[in-house]
Amino acid sequence: MWVWSEVLLGTALVAGGFWLVKTVYCWIRFRKSIQMEVYSNYLEYSIRRKKITRLSESWYFKSEFGKHRIFYQLAQTKKEKVPQAYVLIMLTSGLYILNVKNQSGKIYAKKKGDFRQIYTEKGKNGTEHTYLFKNPLEESRYFENQIRKRLTEETVPIQSLVVFPQKSEIIWEQEEDAEIPVIHRKQLFEWIKTDFEVNQGRLAEKKIDGIYQELAEESIAAEKEM
């Protein structure tokens, strides 16, 4: 019996250690993600994250904006190798489309043409690397156009935004784009709140669920079949 007790104790410790490591890893990812700006805390996100419909609501947004819906989508054109992450937030002030980027370092932005990233390796002899990536303003306009085609309600107010990590430094090589703001992650909530205070009521509450169903219907159906 003593041997089995030791085996059970060892198994419990291993399982507990694995759970702890996994939880810490997921928490760190949450802290670095856009979800940090959407949900009230990691506990709420961990409860919601395994279901599309659960993810579509946030206690934090409910307290600040009332009726709302949230939808996550990956989009990929034929020429792109890597899917692009978008977050769609529906409030009574309109539909916000967030083009979420993960590039850090110095970001040289312009209205047309590729963006340029200057990234420095960590260490005493950090080497600078330059990467070109597709203009996120062009990505946003293309995706917004695709969303408009999917909506039967033509009067939905839509605002696109490009959201970079907090550690990135955005440097405009030309005049900033007036239609699509390019912001840091920590600026997101205040930007939406300011716009909401000015434009709330442009979208009726009763239409929000309908818009969400139109955009998420295929994903929800696919999830049910899994």
Side-chain angles (χ1 to χ4, degrees):
M1 292 295 293
W2 176 252
V3 174
W4 282 109
S5 296
E6 287 188 334
V7 171
L8 290 173
L9 178 60
T11 302
L13 288 173
V14 170
F18 175 78
W19 176 84
L20 180 61
V21 170
K22 183 179 179 180
T23 300
V24 171
Y25 172 74
C26 291
W27 178 79
I28 291 172
R29 289 191 64 183
F30 170 76
R31 294 279 298 178
K32 294 181 178 180
S33 72
I34 196 72
Q35 282 84 15
M36 181 73 179
E37 311 306 318
V38 177
Y39 301 100
S40 54
N41 51 50
Y42 176 68
L43 177 60
E44 181 190 5
Y45 173 67
S46 64
I47 292 171
R48 297 182 181 279
R49 68 189 178 94
K50 293 184 178 181
K51 289 288 183 180
I52 292 174
T53 51
R54 287 181 186 175
L55 279 172
S56 71
E57 292 184 288
S58 157
W59 298 332
Y60 186 30
F61 271 50
K62 177 70 174 178
S63 65
E64 294 290 338
F65 305 118
K67 182 66 177 180
H68 69 284
R69 282 290 194 171
I70 305 159
F71 179 52
Y72 299 85
Q73 182 164 337
L74 293 176
Q76 185 176 12
T77 64
K78 293 180 180 179
K79 296 181 180 180
E80 292 177 332
K81 295 181 179 180
V82 180
Q84 176 59 46
Y86 290 92
V87 181
L88 287 75
I89 298 175
M90 286 146 267
L91 307 177
T92 57
S93 52
L95 170 59
Y96 301 88
I97 300 177
L98 316 182
N99 184 351
V100 184
K101 313 306 294 182
N102 60 9
Q103 288 87 352
S104 57
K106 292 182 179 179
I107 307 296
Y108 289 87
K110 50 187 176 180
K111 289 184 179 181
K112 294 184 178 181
D114 292 339
F115 273 34
R116 184 160 49 97
Q117 175 193 19
I118 308 296
Y119 178 78
T120 305
E121 290 182 358
K122 293 182 179 179
K124 294 181 179 179
N125 299 317
T127 305
E128 281 195 349
H129 299 275
T130 301
Y131 302 95
L132 296 178
F133 60 98
K134 187 173 180 179
N135 191 312
L137 302 171
E138 295 173 2
E139 288 179 333
S140 296
R141 288 190 173 91
Y142 174 82
F143 185 75
E144 180 180 326
N145 186 50
Q146 299 305 305
I147 291 296
R148 289 187 184 279
K149 289 178 180 179
R150 290 167 61 180
L151 295 175
T152 55
E153 176 61 62
E154 296 181 358
T155 58
V156 176
I158 297 179
Q159 175 63 61
S160 292
L161 298 96
V162 177
V163 186
F164 277 94
Q166 197 62 24
K167 291 184 179 180
S168 62
E169 180 185 355
I170 302 169
I171 303 166
W172 283 91
E173 296 185 300
Q174 305 166 350
E175 184 181 358
E176 292 187 30
D177 192 288
E179 296 179 353
I180 303 178
V182 178
I183 62 176
H184 289 102
R185 199 191 76 188
K186 291 293 184 183
Q187 296 175 291
L188 175 62
F189 183 81
E190 286 303 320
W191 196 100
I192 291 179
K193 187 175 181 180
T194 299
D195 189 76
F196 175 80
E197 290 172 352
V198 174
N199 296 307
Q200 60 180 305
R202 291 198 303 173
L203 185 61
E205 284 191 4
K206 62 183 180 181
K207 291 185 178 181
I208 291 178
D209 285 332
I211 293 170
Y212 172 73
Q213 288 297 326
E214 281 190 280
L215 297 176
E217 183 178 13
E218 291 182 7
S219 298
I220 293 173
E223 184 180 62
K224 289 179 178 179
E225 293 175 0
M226 292 177 65

